[in-house]
Amino acid sequence: MNPGSIFFDEEFAFHDGETGEKLFVVLGTINSISIVVKTTSKQHGRGIEFGCQPKDRFHNFFLPPGCCYLKTQTWVCLNEFYEINASIALQKRFSGKIKPVCTLEDSLIRAIQDCAALSADISSFQASAIKACLV
């Protein structure tokens, strides 16, 4: 899974143990573990200025409609990071449960990676995996 790839997962496993449909963005992969973040189209008090929003209640990166392949306003949630095993993701992709949506331009994913590095919620492993894959 390459940095900047956006996938739709029919059975995304959330931190609370629930599963559901979710778009996620790949920030980096190291040692067969991909660091991904979910997205949302619900504002919930988040800013609507393009780019990094570290001072919002929930750290995020805002993508307005038309700035990339996504049709609606989208917040990349940088307050929750997920580690996905590459072999499990590949199995889900072959079974059709994970589908590729698009790939963000290099400059855009790099801006999101830089914004992620500012998050208080990122672990040192996650940060090092993203840093190793800077676009």
Side-chain angles (χ1 to χ4, degrees):
M1 299 172 89
N2 296 323
S5 298
I6 298 180
F7 292 92
F8 175 75
D9 188 345
E10 294 178 1
E11 296 177 347
F12 188 85
F14 297 96
H15 288 308
D16 65 2
E18 296 290 319
T19 59
E21 296 181 340
K22 186 54 68 178
L23 284 179
F24 68 85
V25 179
V26 179
L27 298 180
T29 300
I30 192 167
N31 298 330
S32 299
I33 302 292
S34 293
I35 309 305
V36 305
V37 288
K38 62 187 181 176
T39 67
T40 186
S41 60
K42 295 180 173 59
Q43 186 173 8
H44 295 298
R46 295 175 182 94
I48 55 170
E49 183 178 321
F50 172 79
C52 192
Q53 307 287 328
K55 295 185 179 178
D56 280 0
R57 180 173 169 220
F58 300 111
H59 189 106
N60 70 85
F61 192 99
F62 178 64
L63 302 170
C67 84
C68 59
Y69 305 100
L70 302 174
K71 295 177 183 169
T72 62
Q73 60 186 15
T74 302
W75 289 267
V76 179
C77 303
L78 299 174
N79 62 310
E80 291 182 47
F81 295 84
Y82 294 83
E83 298 174 13
I84 297 180
N85 181 291
S87 63
I88 292 172
L90 190 60
Q91 288 172 359
K92 287 177 77 173
R93 193 157 174 203
F94 284 137
S95 71
K97 292 179 182 169
I98 289 181
K99 298 170 184 71
V101 174
C102 64
T103 301
L104 299 174
E105 293 179 14
D106 287 351
S107 60
L108 188 52
I109 189 58
R110 177 59 190 260
I112 294 170
Q113 288 172 320
D114 290 343
C115 186
L118 301 174
S119 178
D121 299 302
I122 193 167
S123 74
S124 58
F125 169 75
Q126 294 161 344
S128 65
I130 294 168
K131 186 176 182 180
C133 297
L134 290 176
V135 175

